[in-house]
Amino acid sequence: MSKLILSLDGGGIRGAATTQFLTHVEKALQSTYQKSLRDCVDFYAGTSTGSLIALALATTDMDMQAINQLYSYGNAKKIFIKNRGLFEVDGINAPKYEAKGKTVTLKKYLGNARIKDVPEGKHILAVTYGIEKRRPYVIKSTEDEFQNLLSYQVADASSAAPTYFPTQDMKLPPDNEQGWLIDGGVIANNPTMCAIAEACRLWPESPRRVLSVGTGTRTRKINGPESQQWGALQWMLKGCIIDVLSDEKVVGYQAITISPQGSYIRVNAEMRPQPGFDKAPDDAMDDISQTNIKRLKGMGDFWFSRYGDAVIELLNDNYDGPSLDRIDPNNGMPVEYHLE
């Protein structure tokens, strides 16, 4: 029997598009096949905001509608609380946002859930990065040493984006030593290849299907000639260096190339108007205005209108079409990938 991987990218508040899309998917699964999203997924993977969604699905009993409500204007205001230190310039010489609001909100919704709470036979991974040891941490249920880690703490670490939120400290196995962790997006904003590697190790004889969901692709132009004169400050302010480092396209290329025909769907689109989608959201990871959250959820609606039927059949192991990649902004339809 084939195994289904659900991989969810990072992107801050742009995760609202992901949860809106998956809420539609779950409703369709229930009405067509009397199944929940959880019934169809064998391996969950998430980075940053994607880790929150993945951990909620894998280690709690929240349904997609409840998870979607996490990405409301009210919750966003509690998470993105501006850092108001006296001589601090947000994002320049101090994190743009305080840590407390995010931590409290994650704990409220994920509660006392732990990595070990993933159902038997299923697995979860979340990506973060340890700055002192200069190494990635792929926190996963396949390793006994991670079983007792609290889900909200893992999500908090995986979403501690540099310049936006403070570094998170967490006691890590095997020695229970203090680690200082930042957003996994700096190394694997799209965790699909991490999940594929784990699935190959766990189930070497089983075919795999992959549903990989992004949070929208940024299209703002970075000034090439001007960048020749930039130092660290300009790269942060003008070059959006965090977004450059967290680009997900290479992983997308790797994943679709190694996946058998018809076994992979990548849900994503450029964040600009295109056929079928007139009101594009702001591409910032922290634009939490009510208008932008509404537009992000509108992007999730757009994705379902374009990918919904194929995704439902992929989840139910009935899909017989080509692998699908991101939406082509010229025609508003997913790019079909055919192996040569």
Side-chain angles (χ1 to χ4, degrees), residues 302-320:
F302 171 57
W303 289 350
F304 187 73
S305 73
R306 296 306 194 253
Y307 293 98
D309 291 343
V311 165
I312 298 306
E313 296 309 311
L314 182 77
L315 289 168
N316 204 50
D317 206 5
N318 290 329
Y319 183 61
D320 60 1

Side-chain angles (χ1 to χ4, degrees), residues 196-225:
I196 289 174
E198 281 296 310
C200 288
R201 185 175 67 83
L202 280 172
W203 305 299
E205 304 302 323
S206 298
R208 64 178 181 272
R209 293 163 287 137
V210 178
L211 174 58
S212 176
V213 186
T215 59
T217 301
R218 301 192 75 176
T219 59
R220 292 188 214 189
K221 182 179 179 180
I222 297 175
N223 191 316

Side-chain angles (χ1 to χ4, degrees), residues 103-296:
T103 301
V104 169
T105 303
L106 292 176
K107 186 174 183 180
K108 175 183 176 182
Y109 285 94
L110 297 180
N112 293 318
R114 297 178 185 270
I115 297 297
K116 67 182 179 182
D117 293 328
V118 65
E120 185 177 357
K122 298 178 184 286
H123 289 284
I124 171 77
L125 71 76
V127 184
T128 184
Y129 186 81
I131 59 170
E132 286 194 320
K133 294 189 176 180
R134 293 180 177 266
R135 55 154 291 186
Y137 284 92
V138 181
I139 295 173
K140 50 195 177 182
S141 59
T142 55
E143 297 290 341
D144 290 341
E145 63 185 19
F146 295 121
Q147 296 294 315
N148 285 318
L149 293 181
L150 288 161
S151 295
Y152 87 86
Q153 291 181 333
V154 175
D156 210 6
S158 183
S159 60
T163 76
Y164 289 93
F165 290 103
T167 306
Q168 286 294 316
D169 65 301
M170 179 187 292
K171 290 185 177 179
L172 292 168
D175 302 318
N176 207 34
E177 291 184 350
Q178 187 177 39
W180 295 95
L181 307 175
I182 61 172
D183 196 309
V186 300
I187 48 162
N189 201 49
N190 176 349
T192 301
M193 287 302 296
C194 295
I196 289 174
E198 281 296 310
C200 288
R201 185 175 67 83
L202 280 172
W203 305 299
E205 304 302 323
S206 298
R208 64 178 181 272
R209 293 163 287 137
V210 178
L211 174 58
S212 176
V213 186
T215 59
T217 301
R218 301 192 75 176
T219 59
R220 292 188 214 189
K221 182 179 179 180
I222 297 175
N223 191 316
E226 186 180 323
S227 71
Q228 291 183 309
Q229 311 302 319
W230 289 349
L233 183 61
Q234 290 89 346
W235 268 107
M236 188 176 72
L237 296 177
K238 298 180 179 181
C240 304
I241 189 64
I242 299 300
D243 297 295
V244 172
L245 292 172
S246 61
D247 188 85
E248 38 70 40
K249 296 184 186 69
V250 169
V251 171
Y253 162 75
Q254 293 168 333
I256 200 169
T257 302
I258 68 170
S259 295
Q261 179 65 273
S263 67
Y264 174 95
I265 295 178
R266 172 64 172 171
V267 177
N268 212 7
E270 292 186 1
M271 301 179 74
R272 62 183 174 98
Q274 52 201 282
F277 185 48
D278 297 328
K279 296 182 178 179
D282 181 13
D283 60 11
M285 64 162 279
D286 61 344
D287 184 342
I288 62 167
S289 65
Q290 290 177 296
T291 296
N292 197 55
I293 292 174
K294 181 179 180 180
R295 290 188 174 192
L296 285 165

Side-chain angles (χ1 to χ4, degrees), residues 20-98:
Q20 183 77 358
F21 171 74
L22 293 177
T23 298
H24 285 303
V25 168
E26 180 149 272
K27 288 179 180 177
L29 278 170
Q30 290 169 338
S31 63
T32 305
Y33 292 110
Q34 293 73 57
K35 292 181 178 180
S36 69
L37 183 58
R38 284 187 178 89
D39 293 332
C40 303
V41 178
D42 298 291
F43 202 109
Y44 303 87
T47 298
S48 194
T49 199
S51 76
L52 165 57
I53 303 165
L55 286 159
L57 280 166
T59 65
T60 79
D61 60 1
M62 296 173 67
D63 62 18
M64 269 315 308
Q65 192 165 355
I67 297 170
N68 197 21
Q69 288 302 311
L70 280 168
Y71 291 82
S72 66
Y73 175 64
N75 279 328
K77 285 197 302 180
K78 295 173 184 176
I79 291 172
F80 292 90
I81 300 174
K82 285 288 186 74
N83 192 352
R84 298 299 185 190
L86 190 57
F87 301 110
E88 295 178 350
V89 182
D90 296 350
I92 305 299
N93 67 343
K96 190 174 182 180
Y97 301 104
E98 297 178 359

Side-chain angles (χ1 to χ4, degrees), residues 319-332:
Y319 183 61
D320 60 1
S323 293
L324 299 178
D325 206 345
R326 67 185 65 246
I327 289 172
D328 182 343
N330 295 309
N331 60 25

